[in-house]
Structures are given as structure tokens and as C-alpha cells.
Amino acid sequence: MNKYRYCNYNIDNPDLEINKNKSLFSRVRMAIIKVASNIYNIIGKFNIIKYIFILWIIAMLPSCATYSVVNQEQNQEQNINYDTKWKHLDGWANDDITKAWSAWIKSCSKIQNKPEWSDVCQKAYSISSNDINAQREYFETNFMLHEMQSINGTNKITGYYEPILRGSRTPHDKFIYPIYNYPNEWKISKPRPMPARAQIMSSNMLKGKEIVYLDNPIDVAFLQVQGSGQIILENNEIIRVSYAGNNEYPFKSFAQWLIDRKELTRGQAGIPNIRTWAAANPGRVNEMLNSNPRFIFFSENKITLQDGSAAVGALGVNLTAERSIAVDTNYIPLGTPVFLSTNHPSGGNIKHLVMAQDIGNAIKGSIRADFFWGSGEEAGILAGRTNYNGKMHMLLPNHYKSPPPAVMPSSNNSINYNNSSNANQNAFMPNSIEDIINR
């Protein structure tokens, strides 16, 4: 009769199937028990001795039962967590991650030499850019989800874009508003104190540092807030200008300046209405712009066919429209994959795998991201209307030693995010809406 079991091992019949397919650790124990069972059979007719012997075996190998039960439960729990995390990540199964794959490969080009990223990046290089099933299996197999937790109530997803403007190499007609290179002499010895915008614009200290001239001072101001843009010259040459430095003053919102003076309401303080106000009040434009003492310098980069039309982020790679975000690197390392869930300004939801490839002055906090919409007017409209709460799940390699702060392993609960914040639908987005107007 199969009455006596130990470590899921049947002492009465050592050759039963239940005793097979064990680990090496368990098999050693079973070998010991098998010898014991032979002794058990010999003394089986002596019931008292038999029971004493069984108790002795249990006392000598207590860890066997404990190990078997606990290890089995742990393995089951790990499997449940692994499967459920990805299974219940709302939107993951439906996201066309092939659109994010090139962005991930760009991230790998910058982080592949870091020990924690080396292995996963090497594996990525062998996967086709069109094989969505292989890509999905790759992420599910090699990465763990870490849900970002709010720090000090921070939860905001905004948008940004790269403006496309008209410009001229020389000043003439309407092209009279310059953007400047960072002065080489300041790289050696900065003036102290550094000049504010008003002082810079009323002096000749930047003469000879002009890169290009635009036709509108508001375009210059918004370009400085965005930090980069494309400029189409009169001969149809396209150049890109990128952030190269600043005058070390904090940003102050000139939209807020208009609100404080009741020139615009908070709901009106977007780029179309600011442009309209500036056109109606040309004599006050400098007063408005000088309310922000910060001044941004640029460097010129020629656009090639290989570069396409994408701006370059802080990671040093071309950003991918709708697949790159700016983050706070105190919480999310540059290059990291993130699954982002938030609202779409045109309705519905954004549930995308994106890459942390940029930073922004106003991007501060754990659940805080700036969603890159791309280049041009349409991208600008979408960026200006993006201001929602969201969820962010950071993807870290399985062997990543210590996740950054403000993360927790993803729960087994289904994730459904559909709640919109009270966003100002007219707000212009520059590397974050807060850069134009403080909310």
C-alpha cells in the first residue's frame, strides 16, 4: 500500500513514476531514501521499529520536504508573474513594435558597451527589423517590466516636436531676427555675471555669431524653447540647428507674463494666440520676450538623406517620431525601453513601446515624459495638445542589478488607462508645456 511518502517520494514503491524527473539535488536525496526503503522493507514486520525508522529519516532530512514544497511554489509564482506581467500589459499585444525596433537599435548603439545592456543588445542585432513575433518574444524573454511609481504626485505626459521654419543666411527684408552660435570666447572664460536676454539683444556682444536669420521674433523664441529645429533657406537648402548652450538663467514663461497682465487667459495662451497678440502689439513684443531672461545658443548641422528629418536627442541618436521620449534620468536611464500608456490628443489612446532618448528642462519626476511627435506643423499641433496623465513601465534586462528609484515589479492586475487630465487643448508644447506656461 502506498501509505508512506517523503519529499514527494513513495517509500513503499521507489520505482513509481512520481519519483522520476527530479532535479540532481532531489535525486541524491532519493538515492539515500531508496537505500533507507530497503532497510524499511527488511524491518517492515516490526511495526514499532518501522515507525521509529521513518521518524529518524524525517529528522535527518528535514530540508527535503521544505525545499520541495517551497521551491515548487516559488517556481510556479515566478511563472505566473512572468506570464501575467506581459499578458496583462494593456496594449502590449496590439502594439506594432516593429515601428519601435529601429529606435531600440539606435539606443543599443549608445549603450551596448555597458555591462547591464551588452547581452540584450547583442541579441537584438540578430533579429530582423520586420519580424514582429521575434521582437515580441525577445522583449518578453529578456526583459522584466517595472512600473513607475509617482514621486510627489508627479504624473504628466506632454509632447514636443521639431519646428520647420524659413530663414536666410543674410539679413534682408523680413529676415532680420538672428539665432546665434555659442561664443567661443565664453568656452574659455564666461563673463560674470552672465548677461540676460535683454542685455544680449540690446548690445553687439554676439555680432558675427549669427547662424541664420528668421522672419519672426516669436519663431525665434519658440525655437529657443524647443531647443532644435529645421530651417529651410532661400535656396531650399535645409539645415538643422540644435541646442548648444545657454546664458545660465532660469526659464520664465512669457505666456505667464501675458496672463498676469490679462492680455490672454490661461486657456488662450497657446502659440496661435501669442502670435496674434504679437502681431497686434509689435511695440511690446520685446518687453514680453525679455520677461524670460534665459537665452539659448545653437549649433548648425546639415541634414543628409541618411539623417532623414529627425532631431537628435540627448542620447546622441536621431529621434523617432512617436517612438522616442524625453525623460528624467534620475529615474529612467537614457536608452531604456519604456511602455507608455496615455491619451491621444485626437482621441483614443497611445499604448506604445518607446525609447528614452532625450531630456528636457521641465521633465522632472518619475512618471514624467515628453512624447516626440516628429517634425513640422502637424506634429506641432499634436504636441501642443498633449498634456495628460499616464502610466510608464520601464523594461530592464532580467539581470539588471538594481532598478532606479520609483519603480516596482509590475503587478498581476490588468492595466487599463483611459482617463484624461484636464489638458489645455490650445497649449503650445515646447520640450514640455511648462516651458511656455506654468501649470
Side-chain angles (χ1 to χ4, degrees), residues 97-109:
I97 61 174
T98 60
K99 295 180 179 179
W101 191 253
S102 64
W104 170 233
I105 295 301
K106 291 174 187 176
S107 280
C108 273
S109 72

Side-chain angles (χ1 to χ4, degrees), residues 184-232:
N184 287 328
E185 54 270 28
W186 288 14
K187 297 176 183 178
I188 300 171
S189 178
K190 296 179 182 178
R192 296 296 180 195
M194 291 284 275
R197 181 190 187 278
Q199 183 181 353
I200 290 173
M201 297 305 293
S202 63
S203 70
N204 290 321
M205 66 175 65
L206 296 182
K207 186 173 179 60
K209 307 296 189 299
E210 300 88 350
I211 299 175
V212 70
Y213 297 83
L214 304 185
D215 60 358
N216 191 310
I218 302 300
D219 282 341
V220 174
F222 283 132
L223 180 62
Q224 290 198 1
V225 174
Q226 284 296 125
S228 68
Q230 294 182 38
I231 299 174
I232 303 174

